[in-house]
Amino acid sequence: MMENIEELSPLRITPTVRALSSALRGKREDVHGSSRVNGDRVFPEPEKLWFKESSAKNLRNRDFLSPTTMLNTLYADGQVPPAVMSRVLSLRGSGVLPVAGGEVMGEGLRVRVDRAATFRAVLAGGAAEYLKPLSQRQGCVVLNCPALHPKSNTPSPDTMSLGQLRTVLLADHMGALLRRQGYAVSFCPTLPEDSDIISFLRALGIDWPTAPGNWTNEEREEKIQDSLEKSQYREREMERGRRASGGGGRKAEEGENEGALRINLKQVFQEEGLPGYDPSLGTCTVNRDGVSQLAQLDLSTADCTAAMVTALHVTSCQDEFRQQQIAMLWRASGAKHTQRHLVCGPVKTPGSHLTAAQYLQLRRGQMKEASEMKYGDQVEGQTREDIIKVMTSATVRFELLSTVHTSPVTLDVKREGGVSTKGPRGGVFVMYNCARLHTLFDSYERGVEKGLYPEIPEDSQLDFSALKEEGEWLLLFNYLIPFSELLEQSGQALDSEGGGARVNIKTEQICKFLVSLSKDFSSYYNRVHVLGEPLPHLFNQMFCRLYLLRALRELYHSALDTLNLPPIRQL
């Protein structure tokens, strides 16, 4: 019974590396965790004993490697005992990839996976388990985007900077990722439904919460104001007077803001034990814009029924200090929710200055021109407009999200060039290769209708050992199998305790994953003729490849869904 359960468990990279490490270390693995000293020998941590290969060159010879340096640490002269080798070669366990062989070579102990068995295990049943996170989490996450909060008026695309646009796109991406992992996600602030900013966001495929134009949040604002006035962190008149007597500059400031409500933010994070906040946060004067943002945050969390509520402030580096003030003000008003800050680096456009509206207009014009040059009048009407819209959105998202969120992004916004429809250049390249998969299956279906090919049979009728092309294993081992673990990372980062106010999440990884996948798929597709001659002795290999590419098509859809990009079926 156990064997059946293990065989049905989705194959994963991390459990395989752990099992390989356990087999190599033997009884030493009984003590879990950090390195230990036995005599004068230090035993490395399990995750450092083995490495998964990813390059096409290395995958010709091995799938996992324990380097010679590791073997020398574990064994005298690096000689792997026969009993240990036997354990490695007979590796079993839930989620563990089947081992076909292993040998010690110059670079270390290399292990090869049973590829035919792995293809069958992954592709049989449609690979659905490989397209979702490893686990489902509970909790509510509010994604707060300070760039969209009104200062004096509702933000507009003509005043929004590219750095602010980056934070909005990042919040949208994080929302889709976290929902996939089971979190209840809401966005803040709510925007007027008839505003220009909502039309702009919808043009980018962003679905942001709206309210009627005449809607107000005054009741909550009054409640927040009242809470701050009664807060234990409020600075009283007498205290302010004593502090003001220390310097003329401060006296002048006090005189200008006589009677203003002030909150001692430093006292908030010190007394409540909140690490990572800027030590220069001092006393903050409460203004109308701040109260409005706090009321919006209060509204966004009002319907959260989960025990764990996290507010994730997605902000630019320029606005980080102000957002830390807002976070501590909210805390001072009585909010006890966990608050984290996802901080974005600036967006640079050497030689020019563009607003978000101008940038979107530029990229849309380039996409439209590229479409006209390539297809002329072949695709017209709404279909053509939809394709241009999605391609523009894909270009913008990949340009602004493919870089580590703390790092700056530099854009080429020259009128000529800047976006290529050829080569591995981000969003256009990814969408093009996704469309190629749809075209392939359309061609196959037409072949079936003409009687050239039979329908795809059940997986039990196929011999997956026919998948011998290096590119096929690359697509399975580097993309289909690891995808679930990639999806899991953002939730793990959000769950992590400690670390201060900032949270660093590998938000660039989905974009990089899709670009890398598209490069390897494009290389494979250009080299291998999937739909071959309609000869019965060639059908098994063709159907095995169709199984693989069907799973790959769903992988594209799943990854693009986290970017809120619909797949394009024709280009």
Side-chain angles (χ1 to χ4, degrees):
M1 186 66 177
M2 279 299 293
E3 289 186 6
N4 289 336
I5 292 173
E6 289 175 4
E7 287 171 8
L8 293 173
S9 299
L11 302 178
R12 309 290 187 201
I13 301 301
T14 300
T16 304
V17 170
R18 286 177 183 157
L20 284 167
S21 298
S22 181
L24 201 59
R25 294 164 69 109
K27 293 182 180 178
R28 301 188 190 95
E29 189 63 13
D30 294 345
V31 183
H32 181 71
S34 61
S35 303
R36 300 171 299 286
V37 177
N38 184 349
D40 60 353
R41 185 171 295 173
V42 178
F43 295 105
E45 297 180 21
E47 61 271 20
K48 295 178 181 177
L49 278 176
W50 289 89
F51 298 92
K52 173 195 173 292
E53 295 292 0
S54 58
S55 73
K57 178 182 176 182
N58 288 339
L59 284 173
R60 294 185 190 122
N61 303 311
R62 59 189 186 247
D63 299 308
F64 294 95
L65 176 71
S66 183
T68 300
T69 52
M70 294 292 104
L71 301 182
N72 288 336
T73 303
L74 287 173
Y75 305 110
D77 301 323
Q79 297 299 310
V80 180
V84 172
M85 183 64 81
S86 178
R87 283 199 304 267
V88 170
L89 296 179
S90 59
L91 207 62
R92 297 186 68 83
S94 178
V96 175
L97 279 80
V99 172
E103 57 190 338
V104 177
M105 301 295 285
E107 66 274 19
L109 172 55
R110 59 191 195 185
V111 163
R112 297 183 304 281
V113 169
D114 184 337
R115 297 185 174 184
T118 303
F119 274 118
R120 174 168 292 283
V122 175
L123 300 178
E129 289 298 314
Y130 294 86
L131 304 177
K132 57 188 182 183
L134 301 176
S135 58
Q136 288 291 293
R137 288 177 161 77
Q138 294 183 332
C140 177
V141 178
V142 174
L143 287 154
N144 179 41
C145 220
L148 295 178
H149 283 275
K151 305 299 184 288
S152 53
N153 297 302
T154 301
S156 89
D158 294 316
T159 59
M160 178 181 281
S161 70
L162 295 184
Q164 290 173 323
L165 175 59
R166 185 184 185 188
T167 67
V168 178
L169 288 169
L170 196 54
D172 186 54
H173 177 41
M174 284 302 303
L177 273 173
L178 293 171
R179 278 193 177 120
R180 288 280 290 277
Q181 294 174 56
Y183 288 105
V185 175
S186 57
F187 293 90
C188 180
T190 299
L191 295 171
E193 61 187 5
D194 56 353
S195 60
D196 289 342
I197 193 70
I198 282 295
S199 300
F200 174 78
L201 295 179
R202 284 175 179 161
L204 282 168
I206 298 173
D207 184 18
W208 203 267
T210 61
N214 59 357
W215 172 83
T216 67
N217 203 19
E218 288 180 1
E219 190 175 326
R220 288 183 188 276
E221 290 176 10
E222 290 174 6
K223 187 182 95 172
I224 292 288
Q225 183 77 26
D226 185 58
S227 297
L228 289 172
E229 287 174 357
K230 295 175 181 176
S231 172
Q232 69 187 78
Y233 302 108
R234 178 182 179 181
E235 285 211 335
R236 307 297 169 183
E237 296 293 331
M238 189 178 298
E239 295 170 9
R240 290 210 302 276
R242 284 201 301 269
R243 292 173 60 143
S245 64
R250 180 69 187 223
K251 270 187 178 179
E253 181 188 330
E254 294 291 344
E256 291 169 9
N257 296 288
E258 197 63 47
L261 172 61
R262 290 182 177 81
I263 303 294
N264 189 328
L265 305 183
K266 190 168 187 175
Q267 188 183 356
V268 177
F269 69 75
Q270 285 181 337
E271 290 192 7
E272 303 210 13
L274 301 171
Y277 281 85
D278 194 317
S280 63
L281 283 176
T283 299
C284 175
T285 301
V286 178
N287 58 32
R288 183 176 177 181
D289 284 342
V291 171
S292 171
Q293 186 173 162
L294 297 183
Q296 285 271 12
L297 283 164
D298 189 60
L299 173 67
S300 299
T301 56
D303 295 330
C304 293
T305 57
M308 181 66 179
V309 178
T310 301
L312 185 61
H313 304 289
V314 188
T315 184
S316 65
C317 54
Q318 295 95 331
D319 294 335
E320 181 183 12
F321 184 82
R322 172 60 179 158
Q323 201 52 40
Q324 287 202 6
Q325 290 181 315
I326 292 292
M328 288 302 96
L329 277 178
W330 198 28
R331 191 83 177 187
S333 76
K336 297 298 182 185
H337 308 307
T338 300
Q339 297 186 70
R340 307 297 295 274
H341 298 256
L342 190 69
V343 181
C344 293
V347 178
K348 302 176 181 179
T349 54
S352 63
H353 175 75
L354 293 181
T355 65
Q358 291 169 332
Y359 169 58
L360 183 64
Q361 184 180 14
L362 172 64
R363 290 296 184 244
R364 190 184 183 282
Q366 290 170 327
M367 287 298 105
K368 186 175 181 181
E369 183 180 344
S371 175
E372 288 172 350
M373 286 179 62
K374 188 165 185 177
Y375 301 107
D377 298 328
Q378 291 178 29
V379 183
E380 296 180 347
Q382 186 61 42
T383 302
R384 182 175 178 178
E385 283 301 306
D386 288 345
I387 289 173
I388 291 171
K389 176 182 175 181
V390 173
M391 294 297 281
T392 303
S393 179
T395 298
V396 168
R397 286 173 190 268
F398 276 80
E399 283 189 330
L400 294 180
L401 297 181
S402 294
T403 303
V404 176
H405 66 82
T406 52
S407 299
V409 171
T410 302
L411 296 179
D412 180 356
V413 290
K414 292 178 292 188
R415 294 285 159 182
E416 300 298 326
V419 176
S420 172
T421 56
K422 296 179 181 179
R425 292 283 298 275
V428 174
F429 183 65
V430 168
M431 303 305 284
Y432 170 68
N433 279 284
C434 181
R436 291 172 92 180
L437 280 164
H438 285 278
T439 301
L440 169 71
F441 281 93
D442 287 344
S443 298
Y444 167 71
E445 291 299 335
R446 287 195 297 272
V448 172
E449 290 170 6
K450 294 176 181 177
L452 295 175
Y453 306 122
E455 295 281 356
I456 299 180
E458 294 292 323
D459 57 82
S460 59
Q461 300 176 37
L462 297 177
D463 178 8
F464 284 96
S465 64
L467 295 175
K468 298 182 183 298
E469 235 280 341
E470 289 176 12
E472 290 154 359
W473 180 244
L474 197 72
L475 293 169
L476 190 88
F477 194 58
N478 281 353
Y479 302 104
L480 269 167
I481 293 177
F483 183 64
S484 289
E485 294 180 55
L486 180 66
L487 287 178
E488 192 83 358
Q489 290 178 357
S490 55
Q492 288 172 340
L494 210 55
D495 281 348
S496 61
E497 296 295 330
R502 276 193 177 196
V503 59
N504 289 319
I505 300 175
K506 295 178 179 178
T507 55
E508 77 285 357
Q509 288 208 335
I510 292 290
C511 287
K512 288 187 172 180
F513 175 89
L514 278 165
V515 170
S516 181
L517 165 64
S518 298
K519 288 178 182 177
D520 285 333
F521 166 67
S522 179
S523 174
Y524 170 75
Y525 192 79
N526 290 336
R527 191 172 62 250
V528 174
H529 193 48
V530 178
L531 298 181
E533 294 293 321
L535 302 173
H537 71 280
L538 299 177
F539 285 159
N540 176 75
Q541 184 182 60
M542 181 184 77
F543 289 138
C544 289
R545 286 173 171 169
L546 288 174
Y547 262 82
L548 172 63
L549 297 184
R550 185 166 61 184
L552 211 63
R553 182 182 62 181
E554 297 310 309
L555 176 62
Y556 264 105
H557 292 187
S558 190
L560 288 171
D561 188 52
T562 70
L563 293 163
N564 286 321
L565 285 170
I568 288 180
R569 289 169 167 78
Q570 64 178 96
L571 278 178

